[in-house]
Amino acid sequence: MKIVVLTGAGVSAESGLGTFRDKDGLWTKYDLSEVATPEGFARNPAKVHAFYNARRANAARAAPNAAHAALARLQLEHSGEVVIVTQNVDDLHERAGAKAIHMHGALKRAKCAACGARWAAPLVMSPGDPCASCEAQATRPDIVWFGEMPEHMDEILSHLQTADLFAAIGTSGQVYPAAGFVAEASEAGAATLEINLEPSDVTGLFDRRILGPASEVVPQWVEDVISGSK
Ligand code: OAD
């Protein structure tokens, strides 16, 4: 049985990293159009760098929680393929020992807006940083902003086409294309499962749901999958 898992900010919430749309979420404190769009970056790169510098520092201080650990276990112990696609820009899946496809980029990477080169981001980035390759002062976080194309979409869509089970964990279902993955997987014949603190915006599209904090319900679900497939 091939399992495709989509994760969102809810998976990292119990590691102390803020979600976006919950009460107290990042988008209640920051204007998304100022810090998460190419236009916002063109207007005020220092402000955008400050936002991501703070998030990079928080992510570096955070540790993976039991949900990240359980997903790494699933990838290791499940008898079939397990593909983890994440909208998260932290590296907590990797630090728990999992391999994940990052569709919204990574805090740990920098990118040149002029030539497209990518390299490991320093903890603190600033608008004057030169590109490691062409030296243009056009360094930006390697994050997919609103209005930009998410990464690895061909690879992700092909995994959704061949999934037997699609599970979305800790995501509000408000941001496309990720919010459309449940429909893609379902049309291709996969069973679908939502795991979230509360029903998401697209909850009606899933065959079944498990509600609760990810650090509690994901390990239990993983245990059930692994013991059921043995
Ligand atoms: P959201 O903040 O939109 O949604 C987080 C979801 O996690 C909500 O449905 C919460 O109910 C749920 N949640 C919160 N705590 C949880 C917990 N402990 N256990 C389980 N679920 C929990 O975050 P995303 O859906 O990831 O994009 O947001 C998608 C994208 O929007 C992000 O990748 C980001 C953002 O703007 C970019 O920055 C491009």
Side-chain angles (χ1 to χ4, degrees):
M1 176 173 73
K2 173 169 176 170
I3 304 174
V4 177
V5 175
L6 170 71
T7 66
V11 164
S12 295
E14 291 162 84
S15 293
L17 302 182
T19 61
F20 296 96
R21 296 176 180 78
D22 292 303
K23 153 179 92 60
D24 294 336
L26 281 168
W27 296 155
T28 67
K29 298 178 193 134
Y30 295 90
D31 183 342
L32 179 160
S33 68
E34 286 180 7
V35 298
T37 62
E39 296 77 17
F41 184 65
R43 275 195 300 272
N44 193 342
K47 182 173 194 167
V48 176
H49 276 304
F51 175 72
Y52 288 101
N53 287 342
R55 298 194 57 213
R56 194 175 298 109
N58 288 345
R61 273 194 299 268
N65 65 52
H68 298 103
L71 292 172
R73 179 184 172 215
L74 184 68
Q75 224 168 29
L76 203 66
E77 295 184 27
H78 175 56
S79 51
E81 187 182 5
V82 176
V83 177
I84 300 172
V85 178
T86 188
Q87 300 166 87
N88 298 343
V89 293
D90 64 55
D91 61 349
L92 297 181
H93 283 304
E94 287 78 6
R95 283 163 56 200
K99 190 168 175 286
I101 300 173
H102 284 262
M103 60 181 291
H104 286 169
L107 286 167
K108 279 201 142 174
R109 286 199 315 258
K111 179 171 137 183
C112 176
C115 77
R118 289 179 156 100
W119 62 96
L123 207 50
V124 178
M125 293 179 66
S126 61
D129 294 344
C131 165
S133 175
C134 75
E135 297 190 1
Q137 288 190 336
T139 301
R140 55 168 280 182
D142 190 5
I143 303 284
V144 176
W145 287 326
F146 286 89
E148 297 184 319
M149 182 63 101
E151 288 165 16
H152 310 295
M153 282 307 293
D154 289 348
E155 186 186 355
I156 295 167
L157 290 175
S158 105
H159 284 306
L160 292 172
Q161 292 297 320
T162 50
D164 298 299
L165 172 64
F166 171 75
I169 307 178
T171 177
S172 62
Q174 292 198 24
V175 176
Y176 286 82
F181 289 175
V182 56
E184 300 269 356
S186 190
E187 270 163 36
T192 55
L193 166 68
E194 171 165 278
I195 301 181
N196 213 45
L197 206 50
E198 54 195 36
S200 75
D201 274 26
V202 289
T203 195
L205 300 177
F206 288 85
D207 300 327
R208 90 188 164 94
R209 61 202 54 74
I210 300 172
L211 299 182
S215 71
E216 291 173 23
V217 294
V218 175
Q220 186 57 57
W221 170 66
V222 166
E223 176 62 37
D224 292 348
V225 172
I226 289 172
S227 54
S229 70
K230 270 182 182 155

